[in-house]
Amino acid sequence: RYFATTKMADKQKELEANESGPQAPTYPQAPAYPQQQPPPPGAYGQAPPPPGAYGQAPPPYYGQPTTYVFTNAPGQQAGYVQQVPQVIHTGPVPQDYLVFALITTICCFWPTGICAIMKSVETRDMIARGNMAAAEECSRKARMYSIISLSIGLLLVLGVIVYLIVLFAVLIPSWG
């Protein structure tokens, strides 16, 4: 009899729980991230800028890149942020020869013309990234492939002209 009343009480509790709706599981509260404060003026070996100087170009880079270490939460791996000096290119920007590559691809010899187009697009990418040495190399190769395509195309046209001259001047009169 005790067993039957306990079982009925459990069923009644279960029905009451279902009437109020499903209960969401509870999870432990996650720790909050620590609030980071901006560095104080004059930190990292630099003097604060004078008032009204924020619209001007930054001063030239002197010294080692600064590395900041921050931790997210206890038990997590630390993250690193590193300031890297930006190299400013002052020389002329290399040409990409894209128009030359397109014309030689369409009008002359397409296999090397496609290589020229790829190198000229790569030149643009390298210029956008600021890698002028690689851009110069890609520009040189784009020009080389375009010239090769133009040369092969001109040789093919010249070969066809010579073939037609030989065909009409030598072979056709002998048929008659």
Side-chain angles (χ1 to χ4, degrees):
R1 182 163 208 175
Y2 174 74
F3 181 71
T5 55
T6 309
K7 197 170 189 181
M8 287 175 58
D10 288 343
K11 280 190 177 184
Q12 188 175 4
K13 287 180 185 177
E14 193 175 304
L15 285 173
E16 289 174 1
N18 285 341
E19 287 176 6
S20 65
Q23 299 295 324
T26 58
Y27 296 106
Q29 190 67 9
Y33 287 109
Q35 296 294 324
Q36 295 192 7
Q37 300 296 325
Y44 312 119
Q46 295 179 351
Y54 285 105
Q56 298 174 357
Y61 180 77
Y62 303 110
Q64 296 294 323
T66 306
T67 303
Y68 303 100
V69 180
F70 62 93
T71 56
N72 295 331
Q76 290 185 351
Q77 186 177 4
Y80 296 95
V81 177
Q82 185 173 9
Q83 290 181 343
V84 180
Q86 183 179 10
V87 178
I88 299 173
H89 180 72
T90 57
V93 177
Q95 287 186 340
D96 60 359
Y97 297 105
L98 184 61
V99 174
F100 186 29
L102 288 171
I103 290 172
T104 56
T105 302
I106 294 169
C107 298
C108 297
F109 191 65
W110 64 268
T112 54
I114 290 175
C115 294
I117 291 173
M118 289 172 49
K119 285 298 179 181
S120 67
V121 170
E122 192 175 342
T123 301
R124 287 186 174 194
D125 290 342
M126 292 299 146
I127 291 171
R129 291 181 188 166
N131 190 351
M132 293 302 155
E136 189 69 40
E137 179 70 20
C138 291
S139 172
R140 188 182 60 76
K141 286 184 179 181
R143 188 172 130 239
M144 178 190 69
Y145 284 129
S146 295
I147 290 172
I148 289 172
S149 182
L150 180 67
S151 302
I152 292 173
L154 289 176
L155 286 175
L156 287 175
V157 168
L158 187 63
V160 168
I161 290 173
V162 168
Y163 174 75
L164 290 176
I165 289 173
V166 168
L167 180 70
F168 287 116
V170 176
L171 296 178
I172 292 194
S174 63
W175 289 346

